[in-house]
Structures are given as structure tokens and as C-alpha cells.
Amino acid sequence: TLTRGMMRPYQNWMSDKIIELPACLLGAEMGLGKTGAVLRAIVDLMAAGTIRKVLIIAPLRVAEETWPAEIAKWDFSRHLTYRVVTGTEEERIAALRYGPVDITIINRENFLWLRKRLGVKRWVFDMLVYDESSRLKSGRTRTEPKPRADGTMPPKRMTELGVISSIRHRTKKVVELSGTPSPNGLIDLWGPIFALDQGKRLGTSITSYRNRWFRENTFTRRWEPFEHSEREIMHRIRDVFFSLRDRKSTRLNSSH
């Protein structure tokens, strides 16, 4: 079991940012303790009465194994009650009936199912933790379905970004975590930032974001930033986007 005093200075820094800000994106390489930092923040926020119920969305294996293991690993978080909502629909419904709990952990694929199951009015989570924000990089709030074999079109569905947008007004805290916040460069940042602020910093649509700060390469079909784009984009998100890199002397870098 690890204690609060064993947390690294930069983990405490991440925890403090989560507590301080209504929304933030923490980009940190694997092994730098993002999960422990989030749990310390959750414990402190609950103790202060700021939040009551937390929803964590993560890849399946991370949801089923990593988060439960981390909760048990730290002495300050072992008292937290949680449920893991994965598996078949029957198993998920049974998990939702188990409670009340402090933390609900669900895999990405079932996030939309949970939204439909509870609806907006019954949405009880006032803190949202989205583990691996690069999944939001498409910037789409609805899917773009392809024709079926018979030529008919399946209905559009909300994406994970769309689900977050639909319940964002009911959520006091949003925390996004990522090892690679923008794997394809600046173009990937719009979706994760929109999930935090609903367009306040980078605009309300990915189309306007592209048109303002990028040009399309006609040969590669990739969006390339203008010379001034990185400086302007990073300036706009400097208060919510932070990165942590593993170096001999670990250094915190805000987006500016």
C-alpha cells in the first residue's frame, strides 16, 4: 500500500490542478502516475463536498484492471466504493444496481449505453474522468454511418464526444488524461478541448477550427498548420492543457 507522502511532487501538482480547475487535460507519459494523482484529487474534492459522484470512462482493460488496482493501492483511496460497469447488458444492469458508490467505472464502448440508460435528468455524476482523450480527436459529435449492403443507411449515433457534450452542463469537473494528447499534431486537439469548454477556446466546430488554423495538403490530404497556428492555439488553451514528460529532471510544461 502506498501513502500520500509517497506521491511524487509532480503527482501532487497534477492533483492540485484538478482541484483548482473546473476542467483540464493532463498529458503525461505512461508510468508517471496520472491515475494516482486523479484519485488523490477525487478524495480531496469529496472531502470538501465539491463533488459526490465520479464517472470514469476508460479502455476496457484499463477500466476492469488498472483503476480498481490503483484504488486499492493507495491508502488514501482504499475507502472509496466503486463499481465496474462492463460485460453483457445483464451484467452492466446488475452493476448499476449495486450501490450507492463513489465511483462508477465504465469502458468507452458502453458510455453511450449508460447515457441512454440514465438519461440527462437522472445523470448523477458531477465529475467526469475521461482516460485517453486522443479518442476524441475526430471532433464528431455524431457518427457518419456507411451504407449497409442493401443500400439503406443506419441511423447516426452520438459519439463519445457527443455524449460528453450532452451532459457537460451537469458536470462540475471534467478531467481528461492522455499519454499522447495529439498523436497527429495540432489538428487532434479540437475534440478534447471542446469536451472541456464546449468551444470557448478553439471554436464551436472542427470545421471552423480547421479553416482558421490549417491548410489541407492536396497531395497527402492531411491538414497542416500555418506558421502562426501553434503559437496561437497553445496560447488559447494554456490554462487547461498541461503536459508532463519523463526526463532526468522531470519538468512540467503548460501549453504555453
Side-chain angles (χ1 to χ4, degrees):
T1 303
L2 302 180
T3 66
R4 183 182 290 249
M6 297 170 69
M7 293 192 73
R8 304 161 198 161
Y10 59 81
Q11 284 182 289
N12 284 316
W13 181 91
M14 286 192 282
S15 297
D16 292 343
K17 279 296 175 187
I18 293 169
I19 293 169
E20 172 192 344
L21 300 170
C24 65
L25 194 171
L26 297 173
E29 295 175 357
M30 187 180 297
L32 292 183
K34 298 188 294 293
T35 308
V38 172
L39 289 173
R40 201 218 89 185
I42 288 172
V43 169
D44 290 356
L45 287 165
M46 285 187 170
T50 306
I51 61 166
R52 295 178 59 253
K53 301 290 181 183
V54 180
L55 177 65
I56 297 173
I57 304 104
L60 180 60
R61 184 173 178 181
V62 176
E64 291 184 334
E65 300 178 12
T66 303
W67 280 98
E70 285 284 328
I71 291 171
K73 185 170 76 173
W74 295 95
D75 68 345
F76 55 75
S77 62
R78 297 185 77 179
H79 69 283
L80 294 174
T81 56
Y82 69 90
R83 60 187 165 206
V84 179
V85 185
T86 59
T88 65
E89 184 167 24
E90 288 184 357
E91 291 171 330
R92 282 176 264 146
I93 292 172
L96 287 178
R97 288 174 179 161
Y98 173 78
V101 296
D102 300 316
I103 300 175
T104 298
I105 307 169
I106 195 166
N107 59 310
R108 295 176 43 248
E109 292 80 4
N110 287 320
F111 185 27
L112 175 58
W113 173 86
L114 180 66
R115 162 66 174 76
K116 290 180 176 179
R117 180 84 186 175
L118 297 181
V120 175
K121 291 184 179 180
R122 293 174 58 205
W123 195 259
V124 298
F125 308 106
D126 48 14
M127 180 171 178
L128 181 72
V129 179
Y130 191 96
D131 196 345
E132 199 38 72
S133 65
S134 63
R135 301 288 185 176
L136 305 173
K137 66 183 181 181
S138 74
R140 298 191 185 102
T141 56
R142 295 269 176 181
T143 58
E144 295 184 356
K146 296 180 180 180
R148 299 187 181 101
D150 62 1
T152 60
M153 291 292 292
K156 290 186 176 183
R157 300 168 65 247
M158 275 196 293
T159 63
E160 292 159 72
L161 182 60
V163 177
I164 294 174
S165 298
S166 73
I167 49 86
R168 183 65 183 87
H169 64 289
R170 299 183 67 88
T171 310
K172 293 180 181 178
K173 290 273 184 182
V174 176
V175 179
E176 296 178 19
L177 306 174
S178 183
T180 53
S182 52
N184 300 310
L186 294 171
I187 196 67
D188 290 344
L189 285 177
W190 185 85
I193 299 300
F194 181 79
L196 299 180
D197 68 5
Q198 296 297 280
K200 178 181 176 182
R201 291 169 179 81
L202 298 181
T204 56
S205 76
I206 192 167
T207 300
S208 62
Y209 175 66
R210 287 170 177 163
N211 291 339
R212 179 167 185 173
W213 282 297
F214 299 86
R215 67 170 71 86
E216 186 177 16
N217 187 310
T218 55
F219 295 101
T220 64
R221 310 302 296 178
R222 294 173 65 89
W223 292 93
E224 299 175 348
F226 299 115
E227 290 184 6
H228 58 85
S229 297
E230 181 172 7
R231 180 181 69 257
E232 293 181 3
I233 291 169
M234 291 303 177
H235 179 75
R236 283 173 175 262
I237 65 176
R238 69 191 186 283
D239 59 331
V240 294
F241 175 44
F242 306 91
S243 64
L244 183 67
R245 296 179 182 175
D246 188 9
R247 296 176 178 173
K248 289 183 179 180
S249 176
T250 303
R251 186 175 67 189
L252 293 165
N253 301 298
S254 70
S255 59
H256 62 93

